[in-house]
Amino acid sequence: MGIVGRQFANPRGIAGRIVGRAMVRGNASFNVWVIRTVVGEVGQISRVVELGPGPGVGLHELLHALPQAHVWGVDRSPAMIAQARQRNRAALADGRLVLIEGDLIFLSLVAPVDLVIAVHVLYFLHDPVSELSRVRSALVAGGEIALGYRLGRDMPRISQRQFAAEGHRLYDSDDEVAAHLSAAGFAETQLTIQDPGGTAGGRVMIART
Ligand SMILES: C[S@@+](CC[C@H](N)C(=O)[O-])C[C@H]1O[C@@H](n2cnc3c(N)ncnc32)[C@H](O)[C@@H]1O
């Protein structure tokens, strides 16, 4: 059991607030890259959910990149909902953004949507095929899911050591991720790697219903 495995899956309390700030420092540029890549690839988007937005950097970029879209952020961590709220006050005030504290079961409240994005959340889907199926059922026909992630070998050492003990899943290959998406009923997976040949290993996989 380890604090990193627990806190990144569901940041809580004082440690969770610190982890949220660490996510901003560590993940901001990847989130921005994922959002820009996805927005460049997908079609017309008017309703989009970010699942597990954490401190809300990706939501901020989504609101900027899709100025006509209605955006929801669904996160099970109250500490992260609070940080996402602080970071996106203007969009909340004008009604373009709604934050929901809850698990992905809450996607049904906002369905149908055109796009679900989840960055560094895949690892915490302990039953990935059924959870990805739940995402698929929240999408319009032709809707898309975009998963931002790193393979296990590119994750920090401490995550490699601690995640499995918590039931979290690290992936050895993109094919494993694509296989889960396919088993969940998605088609046409498309992979983009942030820095091919580099060491960071960030990637985004987009799949269509
Ligand atoms: C590692 S953080 C990533 C946060 C942000 N997307 C980023 O890249 O910095 C994972 C986030 O997903 C949330 N999360 C994980 N599994 C979830 C689920 N099944 N439903 C809702 N939120 C979830 C956690 O609470 C946490 O805020």
Side-chain angles (χ1 to χ4, degrees):
M1 301 276 271
I3 191 166
V4 168
R6 282 196 300 276
Q7 285 292 349
F8 279 85
N10 188 357
R12 289 175 213 221
I14 294 170
R17 293 202 289 278
I18 294 167
V19 162
R21 287 195 281 276
M23 284 193 244
V24 175
R25 284 194 301 277
N27 298 343
S29 64
F30 181 55
N31 271 266
V32 169
W33 174 78
V34 168
I35 304 293
R36 290 183 184 170
T37 302
V38 171
V39 168
E41 294 288 344
V42 299
Q44 184 72 28
I45 300 294
S46 58
R47 295 165 63 84
V48 53
V49 175
E50 183 173 5
L51 177 67
V57 173
L59 288 173
H60 192 268
E61 185 63 24
L62 261 178
L63 288 155
H64 176 72
L66 295 170
Q68 310 303 326
H70 196 95
V71 179
W72 287 265
V74 177
D75 200 299
R76 63 189 174 191
S77 160
M80 292 302 94
I81 289 287
Q83 291 192 8
R85 184 179 299 123
Q86 279 199 332
R87 187 157 278 106
N88 294 284
R89 281 188 190 290
L92 284 162
D94 71 19
R96 274 191 65 211
L97 172 65
V98 173
L99 293 173
I100 298 175
E101 183 190 315
D103 218 319
L104 51 73
I105 204 162
F106 282 75
L107 291 180
S108 61
L109 290 183
V110 300
V113 296
D114 305 299
L115 172 66
V116 174
I117 294 190
V119 182
H120 288 316
V121 174
L122 174 67
Y123 331 116
F124 310 116
L125 304 183
H126 292 186
D127 185 2
V129 174
S130 75
E131 289 165 287
L132 293 169
S133 299
R134 199 179 276 282
V135 172
R136 192 174 63 83
S137 58
L139 289 166
V140 296
E144 283 146 318
I145 183 172
L147 298 173
Y149 62 97
R150 289 196 170 86
L151 294 177
R153 62 168 191 248
D154 298 321
M155 293 290 277
R157 285 269 165 80
I158 194 156
S159 307
Q160 294 182 21
R161 282 200 303 274
Q162 292 193 1
F163 272 25
E166 300 290 329
H168 309 331
R169 302 172 78 114
L170 292 179
Y171 289 82
D172 292 331
S173 73
D174 299 301
D175 288 347
E176 280 180 57
V177 179
H180 284 336
L181 286 163
S182 171
F186 286 96
E188 291 183 52
T189 53
Q190 175 188 330
L191 176 70
T192 308
I193 299 177
Q194 185 179 15
D195 177 22
T199 53
R203 50 247 292 134
V204 60
M205 191 173 287
I206 300 173
R208 297 181 177 84
T209 55

XYZ file of all heavy atoms in Angstrom, residues 8-11 23 27 31 50-55 74-77 80 102-104 119-121 124-125 131, ligand 1:
233
model
N -3.086 9.648 -6.006
C -3.290 10.010 -7.409
C -4.606 9.445 -7.931
O -5.197 9.990 -8.861
C -2.096 9.580 -8.273
C -0.952 10.554 -8.190
C -0.028 10.468 -7.170
C -0.838 11.588 -9.108
C 1.009 11.388 -7.058
C 0.196 12.517 -9.005
C 1.116 12.411 -7.982
N -5.067 8.362 -7.311
C -6.343 7.775 -7.734
C -7.533 8.552 -7.209
O -8.589 8.598 -7.834
C -6.428 6.332 -7.239
N -7.360 9.165 -6.043
C -8.482 9.854 -5.394
C -7.916 10.797 -4.331
O -7.896 10.462 -3.148
C -9.424 8.812 -4.770
C -10.703 9.442 -4.253
O -10.883 10.665 -4.294
N -11.592 8.617 -3.741
N -7.410 11.971 -4.768
C -6.737 12.862 -3.814
C -7.664 13.302 -2.681
O -8.780 13.740 -2.919
C -6.333 14.063 -4.698
C -6.324 13.531 -6.097
C -7.406 12.498 -6.133
N 0.257 17.839 -9.460
C -0.265 17.453 -10.786
C -0.224 18.641 -11.740
O 0.059 18.479 -12.921
C -1.700 16.937 -10.668
C -1.800 15.530 -10.117
S -3.458 14.900 -10.377
C -4.061 14.671 -8.774
N 1.874 17.789 -14.815
C 1.045 17.301 -15.930
C 0.515 18.403 -16.840
O -0.157 18.102 -17.831
C -0.185 16.540 -15.394
C 0.187 15.311 -14.599
O 1.307 14.827 -14.685
N -0.763 14.793 -13.827
N -1.314 17.822 -20.447
C -2.753 18.079 -20.606
C -3.024 19.013 -21.778
O -3.921 18.766 -22.585
C -3.326 18.678 -19.318
C -3.803 17.626 -18.341
O -4.970 17.276 -18.332
N -2.891 17.085 -17.545
N -14.751 16.059 -19.356
C -13.452 15.554 -18.926
C -13.683 14.714 -17.676
O -14.198 15.207 -16.663
C -12.433 16.663 -18.642
C -11.095 15.984 -18.269
C -9.897 16.886 -18.101
O -10.033 18.120 -18.179
O -8.802 16.317 -17.870
N -13.293 13.448 -17.772
C -13.394 12.535 -16.630
C -12.074 12.610 -15.863
O -11.005 12.439 -16.444
C -13.637 11.106 -17.136
C -13.689 10.025 -16.059
C -14.907 10.183 -15.162
C -13.674 8.637 -16.705
N -12.154 12.869 -14.556
C -10.936 12.953 -13.745
C -10.080 14.157 -14.073
O -8.874 14.028 -14.284
N -10.664 15.353 -14.103
C -9.875 16.537 -14.464
C -8.869 16.941 -13.397
O -8.016 17.789 -13.646
C -10.942 17.634 -14.637
C -12.072 17.201 -13.759
C -12.081 15.692 -13.839
N -8.949 16.346 -12.191
C -8.016 16.728 -11.136
C -8.094 18.223 -10.900
O -9.192 18.792 -10.755
N -6.953 18.915 -10.903
C -6.965 20.345 -10.568
C -7.513 21.243 -11.669
O -7.601 22.464 -11.477
C -5.494 20.649 -10.285
C -4.735 19.590 -11.014
C -5.592 18.366 -11.025
N -16.011 15.710 -14.360
C -16.522 14.728 -13.395
C -15.323 14.123 -12.660
O -14.472 13.468 -13.280
C -17.314 13.604 -14.111
C -17.775 12.558 -13.094
C -18.495 14.171 -14.883
N -15.236 14.367 -11.368
C -14.113 13.837 -10.584
C -14.646 13.386 -9.229
O -15.431 14.090 -8.593
C -13.023 14.903 -10.412
C -11.681 14.298 -10.047
O -11.583 13.645 -8.983
O -10.725 14.448 -10.829
N -14.156 12.226 -8.780
C -14.681 11.689 -7.519
C -14.039 12.333 -6.291
O -14.472 12.064 -5.169
C -14.479 10.185 -7.484
C -13.034 9.742 -7.513
C -12.964 8.248 -7.684
N -11.613 7.780 -7.856
C -11.316 6.548 -8.241
N -12.279 5.695 -8.518
N -10.076 6.160 -8.374
N -13.021 13.170 -6.510
C -12.304 13.770 -5.386
C -12.820 15.177 -5.097
O -12.656 16.091 -5.914
C -10.810 13.835 -5.716
O -10.172 14.787 -4.893
N -10.135 17.774 -5.530
C -9.822 18.150 -6.910
C -10.932 18.996 -7.526
O -10.669 19.921 -8.301
C -9.574 16.892 -7.768
C -8.324 16.149 -7.392
S -6.818 17.176 -7.506
C -6.660 17.788 -5.850
N -18.151 13.028 -8.459
C -18.683 11.676 -8.540
C -17.867 10.805 -9.460
O -16.927 11.258 -10.109
N -18.262 9.553 -9.513
C -17.566 8.550 -10.306
C -18.091 8.570 -11.741
O -19.007 9.341 -12.059
C -17.833 7.177 -9.675
C -16.588 6.320 -9.744
O -15.922 6.359 -10.785
O -16.299 5.624 -8.751
N -17.530 7.714 -12.591
C -17.958 7.793 -13.994
C -19.399 7.332 -14.198
O -19.970 7.556 -15.272
C -16.992 7.079 -14.941
C -16.535 5.661 -14.723
C -17.622 4.670 -15.024
C -15.337 5.410 -15.624
N -7.367 12.162 -18.885
C -5.900 12.239 -18.931
C -5.345 11.671 -17.613
O -5.694 12.158 -16.533
C -5.432 13.701 -19.122
C -3.907 13.756 -19.214
C -6.066 14.307 -20.362
N -4.497 10.679 -17.734
C -3.914 10.000 -16.568
C -5.001 9.441 -15.647
O -4.887 9.531 -14.407
C -2.993 10.953 -15.767
C -1.699 11.266 -16.463
N -0.921 10.317 -17.095
C -1.039 12.448 -16.622
C 0.163 10.900 -17.602
N 0.103 12.182 -17.353
N -6.033 8.891 -16.233
C -7.119 8.281 -15.456
C -7.208 6.778 -15.749
O -7.618 5.986 -14.896
C -8.474 8.976 -15.771
C -9.644 8.279 -15.085
C -8.429 10.448 -15.348
N -6.538 3.973 -13.275
C -7.401 3.795 -12.104
C -8.714 3.105 -12.459
O -9.602 2.978 -11.615
C -7.646 5.149 -11.431
C -6.359 5.905 -11.194
C -6.103 7.109 -11.825
C -5.380 5.364 -10.374
C -4.906 7.783 -11.642
C -4.165 6.031 -10.180
C -3.932 7.242 -10.818
N -8.850 2.691 -13.716
C -10.021 1.906 -14.121
C -9.682 0.448 -13.826
O -8.954 -0.203 -14.567
C -10.336 2.117 -15.602
C -10.548 3.575 -16.052
C -10.921 3.627 -17.525
C -11.593 4.281 -15.202
N -15.840 -0.285 -17.491
C -15.876 1.167 -17.270
C -15.825 1.920 -18.612
O -16.518 2.924 -18.810
C -14.741 1.570 -16.318
C -15.029 1.091 -14.902
C -13.827 1.130 -13.975
O -12.921 0.299 -14.120
O -13.793 2.004 -13.102
C -3.724 11.275 -11.657
S -5.087 12.360 -11.507
C -5.041 13.179 -13.101
C -5.655 14.537 -13.071
C -5.563 15.330 -14.379
N -6.359 14.707 -15.416
C -4.125 15.490 -14.801
O -3.742 14.903 -15.816
O -3.381 16.196 -14.105
C -6.495 11.308 -11.671
C -7.777 12.027 -11.350
O -8.856 11.208 -11.779
C -9.818 11.100 -10.744
N -10.454 9.793 -10.942
C -9.841 8.594 -11.018
N -10.723 7.626 -11.280
C -11.937 8.234 -11.372
C -13.262 7.775 -11.627
N -13.516 6.477 -11.821
N -14.276 8.669 -11.634
C -14.032 9.994 -11.413
N -12.791 10.486 -11.176
C -11.766 9.623 -11.157
C -9.037 11.267 -9.450
O -9.844 11.717 -8.391
C -7.971 12.292 -9.875
O -8.431 13.618 -9.693
